[in-house]
Amino acid sequence: MLKILLTHTPQSRRQYYGERSLRGLQAVADVVLHEADDALDAAGLVAAASDVDIIVADRLTAGPAEIFARLPGLRAFVRCAVDIRNVAIDAASSAGVLVTHAGPAFVPSVAELALGYLVDLSRGISRATADYQSGRQPEIVMGRQLAGSRLGIIGYGSIGRYLVPIVKALGMRVLVADPFATIDDEEIEHVPLEELLGRSDYVICLAVANEQTENLIGQTALARMQPHAFFINLSRGNLVDETALAAALSENRIAGAAMDVGRARDQMPTPELAKLRNVIATPHIGGLTPPAIEGQSLETVRQVQAIVNGEIPAGAVNAEHWTRRDRGQS
């Protein structure tokens, strides 16, 4: 049988992979488990994968260039996540190693969290709850009704498209800023980013993280937002200039923010932002529901099965460079 290294730590394996998917891997290969509590670095990964054919990697385990040259028996690097920015694709291709990634099985889960943020920001639910739990008298603040409000969506991908019918059913008006999107819905206003920022009551960032969107939301963008507007980030932390956001929140130039991502470890919100009273922060749990997690982990099982059969799996990103297709081939 082929040999597979599953890089998830025990906790990550329980939360982000699951027994059903693990059994699926074990049915087609000999699976080596990573039993330490910390993610493998490059040296640890090389040592752990010295005699394996396939690495199934969690999102915290990078695929740096050096590992592909040092693992001559490695056939594929299978990422159990959508984001593969920390995998050296060019180096893998040069070594003939296939790289794959999972699809966005988390779309409904993340969209539902976005809806929760909208309600919480509008009505101060978590703030009042924290006050009551700490023995403080909660401040009574006038809430805002979602019906009739404008929601601006930056990046009209799968999550945005799933979210729009939900918020429209609540009576919200929708603006979208995405230069690459084609929008056929006449009830959606397709506008430039500057206009969206200036007109929206809620701005939700769902854009793809890349070099072009680095610090997309910075001092200039935040200055365009209305003082009563809220900002929500469910994309990636590197789309936001956190210093500029913290200043805007501290100086009440925007009403508040909610975020599931940031620039802390594993894309979590940074404590400096999370502690602000007008911020709702969750520890990167947007996709942490059983259907979302199992959707991605079972996809890696299907990818591994295809690789074992010598086939190019769905989710392959460099199939044309896959020369280590057969076991023992270099």
Side-chain angles (χ1 to χ4, degrees):
M1 295 182 74
L2 270 67
K3 201 168 186 178
I4 295 173
L5 170 66
L6 184 64
T7 69
H8 297 61
T9 65
Q11 179 179 357
S12 178
R13 200 159 62 236
R14 290 190 299 270
Q15 291 183 327
Y16 292 99
Y17 207 78
E19 285 298 321
R20 184 182 176 196
S21 298
L22 178 55
R23 289 196 300 269
L25 282 185
Q26 291 170 332
V28 297
D30 179 16
V31 179
V32 178
L33 301 177
H34 173 49
E35 297 293 2
D37 293 331
D38 295 323
L40 290 163
D41 59 12
L45 191 57
V46 169
S50 61
D51 61 345
V52 307
D53 302 273
I54 301 169
I55 293 173
V56 177
D58 64 295
R59 67 191 187 197
L60 282 179
T61 303
E66 64 190 271
I67 74 164
F68 300 107
R70 296 176 61 188
L71 294 172
L74 185 66
R75 297 170 60 183
F77 190 94
V78 175
R79 168 52 59 83
C80 188
V82 174
D83 194 346
I84 53 173
R85 287 176 298 156
N86 64 352
V87 180
I89 307 296
D90 290 344
S93 297
S94 296
V97 177
L98 181 71
V99 176
T100 74
H101 67 104
F106 48 72
V107 170
S109 180
V110 175
E112 290 171 10
L113 182 59
L115 182 61
Y117 280 164
L118 289 170
V119 175
D120 197 345
L121 287 168
S122 301
R123 308 306 295 271
I125 297 170
S126 57
R127 181 181 63 246
T129 298
D131 284 341
Y132 272 120
Q133 289 177 341
S134 65
R136 296 189 298 266
Q137 175 62 41
E139 180 184 3
I140 299 175
V141 179
M142 181 68 70
R144 184 179 304 163
Q145 185 171 280
L146 294 179
S149 298
R150 290 192 183 97
L151 173 64
I153 299 176
I154 303 172
Y156 197 52
S158 52
I159 298 171
R161 293 175 188 274
Y162 187 95
L163 181 62
V164 163
I166 300 172
V167 299
K168 284 171 60 179
L170 293 173
M172 299 189 79
R173 290 171 286 175
V174 179
L175 289 73
V176 167
D178 189 332
F180 305 104
T182 299
I183 301 175
D184 300 322
D185 189 335
E186 294 181 353
E187 295 182 353
I188 298 175
E189 294 188 63
H190 196 181
V191 298
L193 176 61
E194 293 78 8
E195 182 177 344
L196 179 146
L197 292 166
R199 293 177 56 199
S200 298
D201 302 303
Y202 305 84
V203 173
I204 180 168
C205 187
L206 296 170
V208 174
N210 54 37
E211 291 182 4
Q212 289 69 42
T213 56
E214 184 78 20
N215 287 326
L216 178 68
I217 304 301
Q219 183 175 354
T220 301
L222 292 163
R224 295 182 185 277
M225 291 179 62
Q226 302 179 79
H228 72 267
F230 293 105
F231 175 71
I232 297 171
N233 190 12
L234 282 161
S235 178
R236 286 291 184 266
N238 48 301
L239 275 78
V240 177
D241 179 340
E242 293 193 340
T243 300
L245 178 58
L249 290 165
S250 300
E251 298 165 10
N252 296 313
R253 287 188 272 115
I254 62 173
M259 59 199 74
D260 189 48
V261 291
R263 294 181 181 266
R265 183 178 181 272
D266 194 20
Q267 278 285 325
M268 291 186 185
T270 55
E272 292 77 16
L273 273 173
K275 70 181 180 182
L276 296 177
R277 185 164 172 78
N278 53 351
V279 167
I280 300 166
T282 50
H284 201 174
I285 57 166
L288 190 56
T289 62
I293 295 308
E294 191 167 81
Q296 287 192 320
S297 60
L298 284 176
E299 184 173 357
T300 67
V301 176
R302 292 190 292 271
Q303 290 174 345
V304 167
Q305 181 66 71
I307 293 167
V308 169
N309 294 335
E311 302 166 357
I312 297 173
V317 299
N318 64 341
E320 68 276 17
H321 299 289
W322 188 23
T323 58
R324 295 188 190 175
R325 197 159 178 163
D326 297 320
R327 191 172 192 181
Q329 187 172 353
S330 61

